[in-house]
Amino acid sequence: MNLTLSRSLTKVAWIALISTILGLVAVPATGHDFSNAEIDAAFASASGGFSADEVMIQDSLRARFLSELNATETHSEHFERDALLALLQLRKSGDLTTKATRRGKPVDESIVPIAEIAARVVMDRHRISSDTLLADPAFRKELDHEAQKIASGTDTVAIRKAVLSLRKRRALKPELVLRVADWQRKIETYSLEKLQQSIASEEISDGPGVYLFRTAGGYLYIGEAKNLRLRLSGHLAASDRASLAEYLRSEASAGVTVELHVFPSDSPAKRVTVRRAYESELIRSRQPRLNVRP
């Protein structure tokens, strides 16, 4: 879809979307009730002069903080997530008594697009906040995995730090459409080679969905389809979008990955107005560079 067209999407599409709202972003329940004094004391002992953000993203500092917080008991399920979320809350309220005197390495701006894509995939997939993404060890591992799909060998701590930077810029706020539209959506990611193989073996859904072509430099092109398999097959053979076709023929295509938002055939996304509202929000927030015709 053209970016200008997406901005002028009719009210009809949004009415169709909002009329099918099924729920809101899921927020994990907290299983541990830490006191401010406990969190503050553990942070003072473990931080070594670094900030709460550095404690969250650096493995050694985080392990020390968790050990100080619960030195004698076995860590139960969600202990780490709840402890780190409590630390963040205390930092946000300005109630940490230990001030940061040391700084970690600055964010490399080349890492930021990789971090944004990887973070959005995991956040969209599980309907979680960026805080939960970094606090929960399972989600953090998934973030690292998605980042490696985009750019193998990327430093995991740098990715996490870039996510924190994006959060502070409010650049990872979930789009309205992704907060209200679930409809049993699945999010899958593929390399171009794997996508071609999966299309040939008919593993890719022939139902409705939205697709995002991406590189380590950011989002490339976003579109919607009634039949994902057919539409993607057309793009890979000879895309009707000239700029995308040219890019996929170039050597740069080796770094392309494709993210699919796949819906069941009987979901509200079978309606083109709903898919275009969904697509339009992704284009607006993620600014894929090839959706604007040259």
Side-chain angles (χ1 to χ4, degrees):
M1 178 188 279
N2 184 282
L3 182 58
T4 303
L5 177 60
S6 77
R7 287 174 174 162
S8 60
L9 190 68
T10 65
K11 291 183 180 179
V12 174
W14 281 107
I15 292 171
L17 172 65
I18 299 302
S19 68
T20 54
I21 290 176
L22 293 184
L24 298 174
V25 176
V27 178
T30 299
H32 299 83
D33 187 17
F34 299 103
S35 71
N36 287 357
E38 287 178 307
I39 295 294
D40 191 41
F43 176 74
S45 297
S47 65
F50 286 104
S51 68
D53 285 351
E54 292 292 334
V55 169
M56 284 196 69
I57 64 175
Q58 290 194 35
D59 295 341
S60 59
L61 292 177
R62 184 174 63 253
R64 196 183 310 162
F65 168 71
L66 295 172
S67 178
E68 290 288 342
L69 190 59
N70 192 355
T72 59
E73 300 178 26
T74 302
H75 293 177
S76 58
E77 185 179 11
H78 302 315
F79 172 86
E80 179 174 339
R81 182 198 68 191
D82 295 344
L84 291 174
L85 288 176
L87 174 62
L88 273 182
Q89 186 59 42
L90 201 61
R91 192 265 292 161
K92 289 177 182 179
S93 67
D95 291 329
L96 282 175
T97 59
T98 302
K99 304 304 179 185
T101 57
R102 300 172 64 185
R103 299 173 63 89
K105 292 175 60 177
V107 174
D108 184 337
E109 285 300 313
S110 68
I111 298 293
V112 172
I114 303 170
E116 179 186 358
I117 293 171
R120 284 189 181 277
V121 169
V122 183
M123 291 167 64
D124 293 350
R125 183 180 287 148
H126 299 288
R127 297 161 70 82
I128 57 173
S129 69
S130 56
D131 285 354
T132 301
L133 169 67
L134 291 173
D136 189 293
F139 294 143
R140 204 165 53 238
K141 183 177 180 180
E142 198 170 330
L143 170 70
D144 296 342
H145 180 65
E146 290 295 337
Q148 296 305 312
K149 287 183 182 179
I150 301 163
S152 179
T154 302
D155 181 67
T156 56
V157 174
I159 289 294
R160 298 169 196 168
K161 189 151 197 170
V163 170
L164 283 173
S165 174
L166 287 163
R167 185 196 64 181
K168 290 175 181 177
R169 301 178 202 174
R170 298 183 180 273
L172 287 177
K173 293 178 67 176
E175 299 91 342
L176 171 64
V177 68
L178 294 181
R179 283 186 289 167
V180 302
D182 185 3
W183 312 322
Q184 298 180 320
R185 173 197 63 195
K186 292 192 302 180
I187 297 179
E188 305 166 350
T189 55
Y190 297 85
S191 65
L192 277 187
E193 181 181 5
K194 180 62 176 176
L195 182 65
Q196 289 171 326
Q197 293 171 353
S198 297
I199 288 172
S201 61
E202 299 188 350
E203 294 174 29
I204 299 299
S205 170
D206 60 0
V210 173
Y211 54 90
L212 302 83
F213 284 83
R214 328 166 313 188
T215 72
Y219 293 97
L220 199 61
Y221 183 84
I222 298 175
E224 59 81 22
K226 180 179 181 180
N227 183 322
L228 275 172
R229 187 195 306 156
L230 184 63
R231 184 64 174 138
L232 289 166
S233 178
H235 276 310
L236 297 183
S239 177
D240 57 355
R241 296 294 185 263
S243 56
L244 179 60
E246 181 179 353
Y247 195 97
L248 294 178
R249 287 195 300 266
S250 71
E251 292 183 2
S253 66
V256 173
T257 55
V258 183
E259 178 183 330
L260 305 185
H261 292 213
V262 184
F263 296 94
S265 296
D266 60 351
S267 79
K270 65 185 178 183
R271 298 161 61 184
V272 66
T273 51
V274 173
R275 290 197 309 276
R276 285 183 178 171
Y278 190 102
E279 172 201 34
S280 176
E281 266 292 87
L282 267 61
I283 290 173
R284 178 196 60 78
S285 65
R286 307 186 188 198
Q287 297 289 302
R289 61 183 184 271
L290 298 184
N291 278 83
V292 181
R293 292 185 184 276

